[in-house]
Amino acid sequence: MLKKNNPQILFFILLNLFFTLNSFSQKSIYAGIEIGRRAIKVSVIDVNNIRKADYKILSFWTERIPFADHIAANNALPQEDINRASVIVSDQLKKIRAEYKILEENIFIVAAPVFQSARNIDALKNKISSLTSKELDVLDVSEEAKTLVKGAIPPVDFANAFLLDIGAQTTKGGYIDELKDNKLEFIPLELDFGTMTLTDAVQKTVLNPSQANDMSTYQEKSFDFNSVLRKKVKDLLDKNPLLLKKDKMYLSGGAVWAFSTLYFNENVKDHYIAFTLQDVIDYDAVLKNNFGKFTALAKTNSEAARVLNTYDQKYLISANNILVSCLEGIPNLETKKIYFVKEGQVTWLISYIADRSKKVNTNF
């Protein structure tokens, strides 16, 4: 009787093993839907080792919508934005659930801090909840830098590194200080210049209207303004002497993405790209004196084209001036390791996963 049923028993054993392995693999897969300032982004990742930030991006999708502009105009979200965002989130969530069979506790939906200023944010939250049975979490502006740090720096490096994210409005980031009894303290960093705000500040120093669009004049004024920028960086470092003891520096944001894409000109698959100050200086020389090299590159390289569609030459110069100033301001930089956080679009998702991992201390 046992021999007769052996094939059936073997089949059920294998079937049970398949579902067990499948269930186990699902536990390592996470998905996040982010309603950002100007786009909705969807990420699906498979995490191998959260402490080392070892993960594989299975899927990434984005759709651009200028939410921040609409909120700024009326301190509220237009009904059209609420409807559109809710439908997109619902549709993408259905797709994620169907394709990846992800555990519900591994799916997160968040909105950028700018949504806190929308007086009707509850309408968006309620709409998404009714369509998806998931809660929308709006990031707190005071927690934004901490979320960046937890998601961008591998947890294994928490005690020995700091992060700067060069954004459009500001440069923000932070580091973690180890206290007694395994306690950690998060120290935020902020430089009140970003790519756009620095460009605007330099442009205001061009007093002759006929020179407003003259690149040589802009470069001259930009060079003069570097003294202001360097003082800002020095003040930041003077207020945070512990930074100088860190051996690793992680950088993220559009400025570093532009540099890495145009300078290295290759599809680097690593999450973290190592570079030196000399790399940035060499890139700076091409950026200011031979910009045609990059416009030519954009004709054959889609990622380079995306950089130039995002930033014109003035913005790229401002972005790199911030990057150079931050690097040059750090004493003994040659003894430190510098990394570009390539997958910046998933840092908040990594942060959420780290917060829920028993292997990472994120209580800071």
Side-chain angles (χ1 to χ4, degrees):
M1 182 72 177
L2 184 60
K3 290 183 180 179
K4 183 178 179 181
N5 290 328
N6 267 350
Q8 288 180 308
I9 294 172
L10 181 61
F11 171 77
F12 284 114
I13 290 174
L14 291 173
L15 189 64
N16 184 61
L17 180 62
F18 170 79
F19 282 113
T20 301
L21 290 173
N22 192 46
S23 175
F24 178 79
S25 66
Q26 289 172 12
K27 291 180 181 179
S28 69
I29 299 177
Y30 295 80
I33 301 176
E34 178 191 11
I35 309 175
R37 293 176 58 86
R38 291 181 172 82
I40 294 178
K41 303 173 185 177
V42 182
S43 308
V44 181
I45 62 175
D46 188 354
V47 178
N48 180 47
N49 187 326
I50 189 62
R51 273 187 57 77
K52 296 181 179 179
D54 179 6
Y55 58 89
K56 179 182 179 182
I57 297 179
L58 303 180
S59 176
F60 180 73
W61 176 91
T62 185
E63 179 164 337
R64 298 191 68 81
I65 305 173
F67 294 113
D69 296 342
H70 298 165
I71 293 173
N74 301 296
N75 292 323
L77 279 163
Q79 188 61 45
E80 180 183 352
D81 281 2
I82 293 173
N83 294 340
R84 188 177 175 189
S86 302
V87 169
I88 290 173
V89 169
S90 177
D91 289 348
Q92 289 299 314
L93 189 53
K94 289 175 184 175
K95 184 179 178 182
I96 289 170
R97 285 167 169 160
E99 290 187 13
Y100 297 99
K101 306 293 189 292
I102 303 176
L103 300 176
E104 281 301 310
E105 61 264 34
N106 288 4
I107 302 173
F108 311 109
I109 307 174
V110 304
V114 68
F115 286 84
Q116 286 190 329
S117 60
R119 62 176 183 272
N120 59 343
I121 184 60
D122 285 343
L124 178 63
K125 286 183 175 181
N126 294 336
K127 184 88 172 180
I128 287 177
S129 179
S130 67
L131 292 176
T132 67
S133 299
K134 301 283 290 184
E135 297 300 316
L136 172 66
D137 184 12
V138 181
L139 294 176
D140 190 314
V141 67
S142 65
E143 293 288 305
E144 187 177 18
K146 187 184 295 187
T147 300
L148 275 172
V149 169
K150 286 191 289 188
I153 298 178
V156 72
D157 284 342
F158 274 175
N160 199 34
F162 67 95
L163 170 80
L164 286 177
D165 180 272
I166 304 174
Q169 302 296 322
T170 62
T171 297
K172 65 177 74 70
Y175 61 96
I176 297 156
D177 187 19
E178 287 188 309
L179 306 177
K180 295 180 180 179
D181 302 324
N182 199 33
K183 292 182 179 179
L184 304 175
E185 181 183 10
F186 174 73
I187 312 296
L189 301 171
E190 184 164 1
L191 185 72
D192 56 359
F193 277 124
T195 300
M196 291 178 63
T197 49
L198 179 58
T199 302
D200 292 343
V202 172
Q203 198 69 51
K204 288 177 182 177
T205 67
V206 182
L207 302 179
N208 188 338
S210 66
Q211 296 178 321
N213 298 314
D214 180 67
M215 184 52 64
S216 61
T217 300
Y218 181 83
Q219 289 205 40
E220 178 186 332
K221 296 296 184 181
S222 179
F223 179 82
D224 292 341
F225 205 87
N226 278 342
S227 59
V228 177
L229 192 55
R230 284 192 289 267
K231 186 178 184 308
K232 294 278 187 181
V233 172
K234 185 179 184 304
D235 290 344
L236 177 71
L237 295 173
D238 287 346
K239 291 176 184 176
N240 296 276
L242 281 177
L243 281 181
L244 306 183
K245 297 181 180 180
K246 307 289 184 179
D247 292 331
K248 295 182 180 180
M249 182 177 184
Y250 286 86
L251 294 160
S252 62
V256 204
W257 165 64
F259 149 69
S260 175
T261 301
L262 296 176
Y263 180 74
F264 290 110
N265 183 20
E266 57 186 20
N267 185 21
V268 181
K269 297 186 182 299
D270 295 335
H271 299 314
Y272 301 100
I273 301 173
F275 65 93
T276 66
L277 173 60
Q278 190 59 51
D279 290 327
V280 181
I281 291 173
D282 291 346
Y283 161 75
D284 196 68
V286 178
L287 181 63
K288 293 173 179 175
N289 303 310
N290 188 19
F291 192 69
K293 178 179 179 179
F294 295 143
T295 56
L297 173 64
K299 294 177 181 178
T300 58
N301 184 308
S302 60
E303 193 69 2
R306 195 157 75 90
V307 170
L308 297 193
N309 285 333
T310 305
Y311 304 108
D312 64 18
Q313 188 179 4
K314 289 181 180 179
Y315 285 124
L316 288 173
I317 289 172
S318 293
N320 211 55
N321 283 347
I322 296 173
L323 180 55
V324 170
S325 296
C326 288
L327 293 176
E328 287 185 335
I330 298 173
N332 303 315
L333 184 68
E334 66 279 1
T335 66
K336 303 180 187 299
K337 293 181 179 179
I338 312 167
Y339 299 98
F340 164 47
V341 184
K342 181 171 180 283
E343 310 294 357
Q345 74 272 17
V346 298
T347 52
W348 73 266
L349 180 55
I350 295 295
S351 177
Y352 266 55
I353 297 167
D355 276 344
R356 290 154 180 80
S357 171
K358 296 178 181 178
K359 298 179 180 179
V360 179
N361 179 6
T362 59
N363 188 26
F364 50 80

